């Protein structure tokens, strides 16, 4: 699919893009005609390079090493540095997809302070840093923009052994609603996407931990969740990418402060 007239010369930065949902989002946005920076941790450098090559090279994609917990510092991997590199390559920034995140599966009495803090640092502070850095650039440009954050069905209803994860995603949802009101005057929309059970490495990790705790076969916990999904299958990263592509499109220009649940009908909100 080639670039459409509406998307020509538009660009997006996607964090957590080395695999899973982030990679699917990057691929979809490139297909829709965006120039896209794919950003992830230094440990994912090889995956990012391969992704850029598969997307068509530096004319349409740029790989960036970033730790979203770093807002701005002397470190090259800060979010501020990533935005600057993106703008230097593409000439501006129209869409920020704050997708990077992690999940800790642990009961209330077992979760450690370190696990809790790491979850908040990546899932909440990381989104905050992305929103702040992108907003500064978008206001300077004066042509509006889109901030799109990663929430979850866990941002709408908590689940067992997901207290840290759910708390972090509720925070992202609330923060995005507030920021949407602040930035409306700049024609910057702010929305989040809330996936359900997606067949990604993160959910495989959740399955592994739940299987270990319950003494069940690896993969059985995730498979068992299909029974609770009315559409009868696990979610794919491309299912989420389609929603993000819509939020980044001209058709979503009048949508802000919303959380779009894409979960196959698991939970209604």
């Amino acid at each position: 699919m080639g670039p459409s007239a509406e998307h020509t010369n538009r660009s997006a930065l996607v964090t957590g893009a080395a695999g899973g949902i982030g990679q699917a989002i990057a691929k979809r946005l490139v297909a829709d005609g965006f120039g896209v920076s794919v950003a992830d941790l230094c440990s994912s450098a090889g995956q990012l390079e391969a992704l850029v090559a598969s997307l068509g090279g530096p004319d349409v994609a740029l790989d960036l090493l970033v730790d979203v917990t770093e807002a701005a510092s002397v470190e090259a991997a800060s979010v501020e540095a990533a935005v600057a590199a993106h703008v230097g390559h593409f000439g501006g920034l129209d869409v920020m997809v704050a997708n990077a995140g992690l999940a800790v599966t642990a009961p209330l009495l077992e979760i450690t302070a370190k696990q809790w803090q790491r979850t908040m640092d990546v899932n909440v502070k990381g989104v905050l840093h992305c929103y702040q850095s992108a907003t500064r650039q978008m206001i300077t440009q004066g042509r509006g923009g889109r901030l799109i954050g990663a929430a979850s069905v866990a941002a709408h209803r908590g689940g067992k052994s997901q207290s840290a994860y759910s708390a972090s995603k509720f925070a992202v949802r609330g923060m995005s609603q507030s920021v949407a009101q602040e930035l409306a005057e700049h024609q910057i929309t702010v929305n989040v996407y809330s996936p359900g059970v997606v067949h990604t490495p993160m959910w495989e990790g959740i399955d592994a931990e739940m299987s270990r705790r319950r003494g069940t076969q690896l993969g059985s916990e995730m498979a068992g969740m299909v029974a609770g999904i009315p559409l009868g299958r696990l979610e794919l990263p491309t299912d989420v990418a389609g929603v993000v592509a819509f939020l980044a499109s001209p058709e979503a220009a009048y949508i802000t402060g919303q959380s779009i649940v894409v979960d196959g009908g698991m939970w209604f909100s």
Side-chain angles (χ1 to χ4, degrees), residues 161-178:
S161 299
Q162 295 293 315
S163 57
Y165 183 70
S166 188
S168 72
K169 294 304 184 179
F170 264 91
V172 168
R173 185 178 169 214
M175 173 171 59
S176 298
Q177 290 177 356
S178 296

Side-chain angles (χ1 to χ4, degrees), residues 66-73 75 77-82 125 128-130 132-133 136:
V66 62
D67 180 345
V68 295
T69 66
E70 289 286 344
S73 67
E75 297 296 329
S78 72
V79 176
E80 197 75 23
K125 189 162 70 172
L128 172 65
H129 291 162
C130 289
Q132 288 179 325
S133 295
R136 293 187 189 102

Side-chain angles (χ1 to χ4, degrees), residues 23 49 71 86 89 94 106:
Q23 185 176 114
E49 290 176 5
H86 174 94
H89 189 82
D94 300 287

Side-chain angles (χ1 to χ4, degrees), residues 13-233:
L13 194 161
V14 182
T15 65
I21 292 173
Q23 185 176 114
I25 291 170
K27 289 180 177 179
R28 175 59 187 267
L29 292 179
V30 167
D32 284 352
F34 284 83
V36 176
S37 285
V38 291
D40 215 311
L41 295 168
C42 294
S43 57
S44 300
Q47 293 167 270
L48 292 177
E49 290 176 5
L51 178 57
V52 166
S54 72
L55 291 173
D59 287 345
V60 296
L62 174 69
D63 55 309
L64 297 172
L65 302 180
V66 62
D67 180 345
V68 295
T69 66
E70 289 286 344
S73 67
V74 295
E75 297 296 329
S78 72
V79 176
E80 197 75 23
V83 169
H86 174 94
V87 172
H89 189 82
F90 291 108
L93 175 63
D94 300 287
V95 178
M96 167 63 83
V97 184
N99 173 74
L102 57 81
V104 172
T105 301
L108 173 67
L109 297 182
E110 294 182 22
I111 190 166
T112 67
K114 184 177 181 179
Q115 288 174 316
W116 182 277
Q117 190 59 55
R118 180 61 179 166
T119 302
M120 298 304 157
D121 284 348
V122 176
N123 293 3
V124 184
K125 189 162 70 172
V127 173
L128 172 65
H129 291 162
C130 289
Y131 282 4
Q132 288 179 325
S133 295
T135 295
R136 293 187 189 102
Q137 177 62 31
M138 290 173 181
I139 290 176
T140 297
Q141 292 170 179
R143 60 176 189 249
R146 308 290 170 85
L147 304 182
I148 305 172
S152 167
V153 288
H156 301 259
R157 190 178 78 180
K160 288 183 179 180
S161 299
Q162 295 293 315
S163 57
Y165 183 70
S166 188
S168 72
K169 294 304 184 179
F170 264 91
V172 168
R173 185 178 169 214
M175 173 171 59
S176 298
Q177 290 177 356
S178 296
V179 173
Q181 296 176 63
E182 294 179 31
L183 300 182
E185 65 180 284
H186 300 288
Q187 297 303 302
I188 298 172
T189 65
V190 189
N191 296 288
V192 301
Y193 50 98
S194 293
V197 183
V198 190
H199 199 174
T200 61
M202 186 182 82
W203 260 103
E204 288 172 359
I206 293 173
D207 172 87
E209 179 61 20
M210 292 175 66
S211 296
R212 183 187 69 80
R213 290 178 178 277
R214 295 176 180 175
T216 55
Q217 185 177 356
L218 190 65
S220 62
E221 297 295 325
M222 189 183 295
M225 293 178 187
V226 175
I229 302 175
L231 288 182
R233 66 172 176 85

Side-chain angles (χ1 to χ4, degrees), residues 225-265:
M225 293 178 187
V226 175
I229 302 175
L231 288 182
R233 66 172 176 85
L234 291 175
E235 188 169 353
L236 300 175
T238 50
D239 293 319
V240 185
V243 172
V244 175
F246 168 68
L247 291 173
S249 75
E251 286 74 19
Y254 202 63
I255 298 174
T256 195
Q258 304 303 311
S259 172
I260 298 183
V261 177
V262 49
D263 69 350

